[in-house]
Amino acid sequence: MSTESPERKHRRGRRRNDRSHICHGNQWTTGSMAEEKLSFEQAFTFNQLSTKKFTFQQDPEISRLLMKWSMLGRITTQAFNFDQSFQPYRSNDFAWNFFQDPCVKNNLKVLDSSGSWTLLGRDITHVNVEVVPCTKVSVDIFDPIYSNGILRPSGHIVKCYHEVCPDFDELRMLLLEEDSDNYHIISPSDRQEFLFRLFKHMVLGGELCQYEDVIEPYTETVKLMYKDLVSVQKDPHTKEISVVTTILKVSAHDHGGLCYPCATDNEQTFAYLCIDPFKRHVYVLYHSFGIGDFSGN
């Protein structure tokens, strides 16, 4: 029979009662008491990788498409490195430390209400964290779209009737309407995958999105983005390729309420942290829904 001193029991009780991470399914809310770390779990600190280039942001054709989809000038990707070993079980700690870090506060870009880029530069009181499944190493997830009457043999997207939107198509019906004939062809688990989320974000676009008539611009853009943001490794014994990146969808609050990625909630306003545990890099994919840049500048 073990004995425990009153002081040790008191400390153990405090740790249990002071837990600052509340989990709802796979979504976490991280509060200010996350700063109290156990001695063997050091806080993550960050530095900006200002010279990191992302292929999809350098591609003139993708810039043209983002302009057409009303996302140009409202979507950006930034890179930071971090100093501690990352394990997925520390995802909520990681996100909390990220938004508390002085380098992040002074460099993380955010669009203000006027549509101008500014820096976060504020004290964050809590962070919402959703762990996003990211397991795909091929684009097979899109195969059902090619064989269920959504596309013509030419790759053109089939138009369809919609009660609210006069110019609608079967692809957006698949993405948005749960009672549509084709909604079930993409499994619930595949819909949660980061690759499929990227695809959906690109298809739906910004406030004045001009939709594509064919599917290839969407799939080609998403493949390039995914390759930029997600790292894989090959098992030396089985030769199988697997994803090593952890994806976190995040939002943050200050004393006034929701402030990041935007003060207004919208499905097309998003921020993802893409964490490479081996390089110790984190890539931030950010978009704020609105009217994009149509000047091309």
Side-chain angles (χ1 to χ4, degrees):
M1 179 177 178
S2 62
T3 61
E4 184 177 37
S5 69
E7 291 82 1
R8 184 174 180 182
K9 183 180 296 184
H10 176 69
R11 288 197 300 269
R12 180 167 55 83
R14 282 193 60 188
R15 284 200 301 269
R16 181 164 57 244
N17 293 331
D18 286 351
R19 283 175 183 162
S20 55
H21 312 302
I22 305 170
C23 181
H24 306 278
N26 64 341
Q27 300 189 31
W28 290 81
T29 298
T30 305
S32 59
M33 285 185 292
E35 292 174 299
E36 298 180 11
K37 300 293 177 188
L38 297 178
S39 60
F40 59 86
E41 288 190 339
Q42 298 297 317
F44 296 94
T45 59
F46 300 85
N47 289 295
Q48 186 182 24
L49 300 174
S50 57
T51 60
K52 169 68 179 177
K53 303 297 182 184
F54 295 90
T55 305
F56 81 91
Q57 288 192 302
Q58 307 296 312
D59 190 306
E61 175 60 16
I62 291 184
S63 294
R64 184 191 69 80
L65 290 170
L66 291 174
M67 181 169 61
K68 184 178 179 182
W69 301 337
S70 193
M71 301 176 82
L72 188 66
R74 305 192 68 88
I75 189 169
T76 192
T77 312
Q78 292 181 267
F80 297 83
N81 64 12
F82 53 92
D83 64 340
Q84 299 291 326
S85 176
F86 172 79
Q87 296 292 337
Y89 78 89
R90 293 198 67 198
S91 293
N92 48 332
D93 287 335
F94 184 95
W96 172 252
N97 293 162
F98 182 79
F99 284 101
Q100 297 302 311
D101 191 88
C103 178
V104 173
K105 288 183 181 182
N106 293 328
N107 290 281
L108 188 64
K109 294 179 180 179
V110 57
L111 276 174
D112 63 20
S113 57
S114 68
S116 299
W117 287 103
T118 184
L119 301 176
L120 181 64
R122 62 184 74 200
D123 293 329
I124 298 301
T125 58
H126 69 274
V127 180
N128 298 324
V129 183
E130 178 187 357
V131 180
V132 176
C134 185
T135 64
K136 302 300 180 183
V137 295
S138 75
V139 293
D140 293 349
I141 194 173
F142 301 130
D143 286 352
I145 297 175
Y146 288 83
S147 57
N148 285 276
I150 298 166
L151 305 177
R152 303 193 188 282
S154 62
H156 282 74
I157 302 165
V158 175
K159 301 293 183 180
C160 67
Y161 170 77
H162 191 273
E163 292 181 353
V164 178
C165 302
D167 180 24
F168 213 63
D169 57 55
E170 292 288 355
L171 180 58
R172 279 178 285 160
M173 187 75 79
L174 162 74
L175 296 175
L176 296 172
E177 304 291 341
E178 294 187 24
D179 59 351
S180 69
D181 292 339
N182 287 318
Y183 190 87
H184 69 282
I185 68 174
I186 305 295
S187 69
S189 60
D190 279 350
R191 284 180 178 272
Q192 294 302 311
E193 282 280 339
F194 183 54
L195 178 59
F196 193 82
R197 291 187 188 212
L198 284 179
F199 177 72
K200 183 177 180 180
H201 286 317
M202 294 304 108
V203 173
L204 299 183
E207 189 171 346
L208 297 180
C209 181
Q210 302 174 54
Y211 301 103
E212 297 296 323
D213 293 323
V214 295
I215 197 171
E216 279 73 18
Y218 298 130
T219 54
E220 292 304 312
T221 299
V222 168
K223 282 194 291 186
L224 199 54
M225 292 177 69
Y226 194 73
K227 187 175 180 180
D228 268 346
L229 298 170
V230 173
S231 299
V232 299
Q233 68 176 6
K234 181 184 286 187
D235 187 294
H237 303 292
T238 66
K239 307 303 180 183
E240 291 184 355
I241 298 174
S242 61
V243 172
V244 298
T245 298
T246 295
I247 306 292
L248 307 179
K249 186 177 182 181
V250 294
S251 60
H253 297 245
D254 63 9
H255 292 287
L258 181 65
C259 65
Y260 183 87
C262 180
T264 305
D265 193 28
N266 186 288
E267 185 178 12
Q268 284 297 94
T269 295
F270 54 81
Y272 295 99
L273 304 184
C274 310
I275 306 165
D276 185 324
F278 298 114
K279 293 181 180 178
R280 293 189 179 179
H281 287 182
V282 53
Y283 305 141
V284 185
L285 177 65
Y286 172 99
H287 176 255
S288 179
F289 180 78
I291 300 174
D293 178 10
F294 288 98
S295 69
N297 296 327

